[in-house]
């Protein structure tokens, strides 16, 4: 099989998943966008968390040209990517009970805020505990996960529950268990994961919805511009001055 054919198959698979979330997740996308708009309008703050590769989608909506300036990254040391050494430590930390409590207790997250939690499987202790504890604090939780994992895997949290069980709104990425779209007779393992493509698109759809919802209410959405266009830095500086008490990645 030619490499170009495999590339086309992966892109087709990704397009198919994007079409599914467009059609099947329209209602929760709208609800999530409305919740974020409500929170911005009411003076609340926005946070996003993801562990491992799920952190990529969280980072994509923080300090992002064209994105809401109020979205902050809730970072857990050692799990925000694969830069920790060894990389396998990040996976191990996702299974540690109590870690989410320690992070939330030392974070600025408070009642009335929104926390987006991204976890493909939704089965590990960290995202489950993060959602449970955030809601106990009065925080609204938007979960981005593959619901299929809840019926095809076992939970690693002591409660036996999954991320999807502790969210105000669930966005289902529709990713199959194992996160690999392609197989080939000459390759033993499935390959070509699409979760980052789909999860990132889901969240950008939510953020677009939120911006539109704010505009519909006559509220200028606090959007960032690219620093690589003329006037971008001045625009962003003004936004950060105006909303500085709700932005935690800038001093």
């Amino acid at each position: 099989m030619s490499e170009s054919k495999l590339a086309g198959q992966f892109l087709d698979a990704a397009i198919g998943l994007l079409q599914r979330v467009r059609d099947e997740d329209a209602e929760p996308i709208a609800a999530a966008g409305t919740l974020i708009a409500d929170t911005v309008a009411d003076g609340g703050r926005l946070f996003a968390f993801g562990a491992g590769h799920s952190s990529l989608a969280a980072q994509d909506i923080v300090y992002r040209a064209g994105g809401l300036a109020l979205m902050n990254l809730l970072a857990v040391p050692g799990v925000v990517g694969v830069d920790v050494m060894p990389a396998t430590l990040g996976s191990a930390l996702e299974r540690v009970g109590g870690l989410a409590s320690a992070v939330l207790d030392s974070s600025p997250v408070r009642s009335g805020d929104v926390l987006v939690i991204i976890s493909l499987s939704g089965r590990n202790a960290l995202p489950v505990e993060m959602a449970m504890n955030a809601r106990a604090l009065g925080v609204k939780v938007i979960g981005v996960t593959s619901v299929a994992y809840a019926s095809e895997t076992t939970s690693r949290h002591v409660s036996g529950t999954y991320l999807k069980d502790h969210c105000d709104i669930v966005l289902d990425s529709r990713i199959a268990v194992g996160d690999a779209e392609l197989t080939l007779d000459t390759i033993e393992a499935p390959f070509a994961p699409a979760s980052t493509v789909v999860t990132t698109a889901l969240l950008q759809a939510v953020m677009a919805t939120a911006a539109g919802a704010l505009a519909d209410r006559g509220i200028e959405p606090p959007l960032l511009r690219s620093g690589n266009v003329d006037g971008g830095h001045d625009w962003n500086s003004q936004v950060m001055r105006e909303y500085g008490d709700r932005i935690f990645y800038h001093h």
Side-chain angles (χ1 to χ4, degrees):
M1 176 176 290
S2 69
E3 290 82 354
S4 61
K5 187 171 183 180
L6 286 172
Q9 287 182 348
F10 172 75
L11 291 171
D12 286 344
I15 290 167
L17 285 163
L18 290 172
Q19 290 173 330
R20 283 194 66 191
V21 298
R22 178 196 63 195
D23 298 337
E24 299 173 27
D25 280 357
E27 186 174 332
I29 287 172
T34 299
L35 175 57
I36 288 176
D38 291 343
T39 304
V40 172
D42 293 341
R45 292 90 59 81
L46 308 174
F47 296 87
F49 164 75
H53 286 94
S54 290
S55 71
L56 296 174
Q59 293 176 62
D60 192 60
I61 56 174
V62 175
Y63 187 48
R64 189 72 164 87
L68 288 176
L70 305 192
M71 185 61 75
N72 300 277
L73 186 68
L74 183 63
V76 178
V79 304
V80 190
V82 294
D83 56 337
V84 62
M85 292 297 290
T88 51
L89 175 61
S91 298
L93 289 174
E94 287 188 68
R95 305 176 190 180
V96 174
L99 183 56
S101 299
V103 170
L104 283 172
D105 289 347
S106 60
S107 78
V109 177
R110 67 188 184 192
S111 179
D113 293 344
V114 163
L115 174 58
V116 179
I117 300 177
I118 306 153
S119 173
L120 179 61
S121 73
R123 68 187 298 217
N124 288 310
L126 182 55
V128 174
E129 183 183 289
M130 186 79 74
M132 294 174 70
N133 290 9
R135 292 182 88 189
L137 291 173
V139 175
K140 296 292 187 183
V141 175
I142 298 170
V144 189
T145 187
S146 171
V147 172
Y149 276 82
S151 59
E152 299 181 39
T153 68
T154 56
S155 171
R156 289 176 175 150
H157 188 261
V158 293
S159 67
T161 61
Y162 297 78
L163 170 60
K164 72 174 186 65
D165 299 316
H166 306 284
C167 299
D168 296 279
I169 299 169
V170 175
L171 299 172
D172 187 356
S173 63
R174 318 284 167 170
I175 298 294
V177 173
D179 191 18
E181 293 301 316
L182 302 182
T183 58
L184 201 60
D185 291 342
T186 54
I187 299 177
E188 290 193 23
F191 56 101
S195 59
T196 304
V197 174
V198 177
T199 302
T200 299
L202 262 174
L203 285 173
Q204 291 297 352
V206 169
M207 303 307 282
T209 301
L214 287 167
D216 287 344
R217 304 177 198 188
I219 300 172
E220 178 70 27
L223 296 168
L224 295 172
R225 291 180 181 266
S226 170
N228 296 312
V229 299
D230 292 343
H233 286 300
D234 291 339
W235 172 280
N236 293 342
S237 294
Q238 176 58 38
V239 171
M240 290 183 183
R241 280 194 298 271
E242 185 173 349
Y243 291 94
D245 60 333
R246 298 154 77 181
I247 298 172
F248 299 97
Y249 55 81
H250 181 264
H251 298 288

